[in-house]
Amino acid sequence: MKLIFRPYSKTSFGLSLGLTVFYLSLLVIIPLSALFFKSATLGVSGLWEVLTENRIQQALYLSFGAGGVAAIINLFVGFLFAWVLVRYDFPGKKILDSLVDLPFTLPTAVAGIALTTIYAPNGFIGKYLTPYGIKIAYTPIGIVIALVFIGFPFVVRTVQPILEDLPKELEESAYCLGASRFQTFTKVILPELIPSLLAGTSMAFARGIGEYGSVVFISGNLPGKTEILPLLIVTKLEQYEYAKATGIAVLMLVLSFTIMFGINYLQNRASRRLG
């Protein structure tokens, strides 16, 4: 029996494309356009004044700096988790695999309260560090820890399926040709994982710079020290300064998009090389 492949008709393509564009406009384009229009009411001089305000710049450096550091940590921590879950069998493996998704399901405010309880000066861990002059809660270090907690599952879940589907024959062939374990990892395994590592790291970074719930408690919200941009946006909204709040949001949007575009470009280049 001969099977005949019939391509999708132009009608179904037009309907699918129309629904896609409609939902994209409804969920993304229209809200972002409103954001730009609202911030435009400040004018160029007003917007520049907002963006050059010392308090906002300090919050900007903290948000993107802490988000970048946390993303780099998540790159290694997430890869380690994925490697252990795929390459080794041990008691409690399924439980550990389930716990990886906990930051996805746990309310961020609960995560922030839990981390503050642990790392505060009188917390379970903080009380042992305080005598040595080490402070974690209410410092940038606490913010980084919170961002690592909510971001590492992105790296784990993007790298894990690639590791599982990686043919074992590639490694065996490398061993047969005389390659060491280090050479096999750097020349055979790692190139296959680079696109997924970049994808997971970029998602962890994007989640980190916009995170609010888990950071607002452990940061202490000290202006100029531990105040993040999302909190500053909420503060401006509570003060009915809507144009300034949207101006800060536009700044975050532009910077985030630029960084994500660069990461996606590197990811696509790596994918094309593998292809």
Side-chain angles (χ1 to χ4, degrees), residues 6-266:
R6 295 182 179 179
Y8 295 110
S9 64
K10 293 183 178 180
T11 303
S12 61
F13 169 74
L15 179 61
S16 302
L17 180 62
L19 289 174
T20 302
V21 173
F22 171 74
Y23 281 108
L24 181 65
S25 302
L26 187 65
L27 299 177
V28 179
I29 297 177
I30 294 177
L32 293 183
S33 300
L35 194 67
F36 280 96
F37 283 130
K38 185 63 179 180
S39 61
T41 58
L42 288 172
V44 178
S45 59
L47 186 60
W48 180 253
E49 181 181 351
V50 171
L51 301 183
T52 55
E53 184 180 329
N54 186 48
R55 183 180 177 184
I56 294 176
Q57 287 188 345
Q58 290 175 335
L60 171 69
Y61 296 146
L62 178 61
S63 294
F64 281 83
V69 172
I72 294 174
I73 296 175
N74 281 325
L75 171 65
F76 295 99
V77 174
F79 170 74
L80 178 62
F81 266 75
W83 183 271
V84 170
L85 290 173
V86 172
R87 293 304 179 100
Y88 302 103
D89 290 321
F90 52 90
K93 177 180 177 179
K94 292 184 177 180
I95 297 177
L96 181 62
D97 191 27
S98 301
L99 289 176
V100 170
D101 294 325
L102 185 62
F104 286 148
T105 58
L106 188 70
T108 55
V110 176
I113 294 173
L115 292 173
T116 306
T117 304
I118 294 173
Y119 294 109
N122 58 346
F124 298 128
I125 297 177
K127 64 182 180 182
Y128 297 107
L129 301 177
T130 301
Y132 299 98
I134 302 174
K135 292 185 63 177
I136 295 180
Y138 318 129
T139 67
I141 299 176
I143 297 175
V144 172
I145 291 177
L147 297 185
V148 169
F149 175 79
I150 58 99
F152 88 95
F154 289 98
V155 181
V156 178
R157 293 313 185 203
T158 53
V159 174
Q160 188 175 358
I162 305 301
L163 270 175
E164 291 174 346
D165 295 338
L166 194 65
K168 295 290 183 62
E169 291 79 7
L170 293 177
E171 298 179 53
E172 294 173 356
S173 299
Y175 292 143
C176 292
L177 293 174
S180 64
R181 289 185 177 275
F182 179 76
Q183 290 174 326
T184 303
F185 176 77
T186 55
K187 302 295 184 181
V188 178
I189 300 176
L190 187 59
E192 297 286 339
L193 300 179
I194 287 178
S196 59
L197 284 170
L198 288 175
T201 305
S202 62
M203 287 189 291
F205 174 75
R207 170 71 185 273
I209 60 177
E211 178 62 21
Y212 176 79
S214 62
V215 177
V216 69
F217 293 101
I218 198 171
S219 67
N221 311 319
L222 303 175
K225 295 182 179 180
T226 59
E227 189 176 45
I228 57 174
L229 274 180
L231 175 64
L232 202 53
I233 293 175
V234 174
T235 302
K236 295 296 183 183
L237 291 174
E238 291 176 347
Q239 296 172 352
Y240 303 102
E241 297 178 350
Y242 300 119
K244 290 185 178 181
T246 53
I248 300 172
V250 167
L251 174 63
M252 289 188 65
L253 175 64
V254 172
L255 292 176
S256 301
F257 178 80
T258 303
I259 295 173
M260 294 293 292
F261 181 82
I263 295 175
N264 288 334
Y265 174 74
L266 295 176

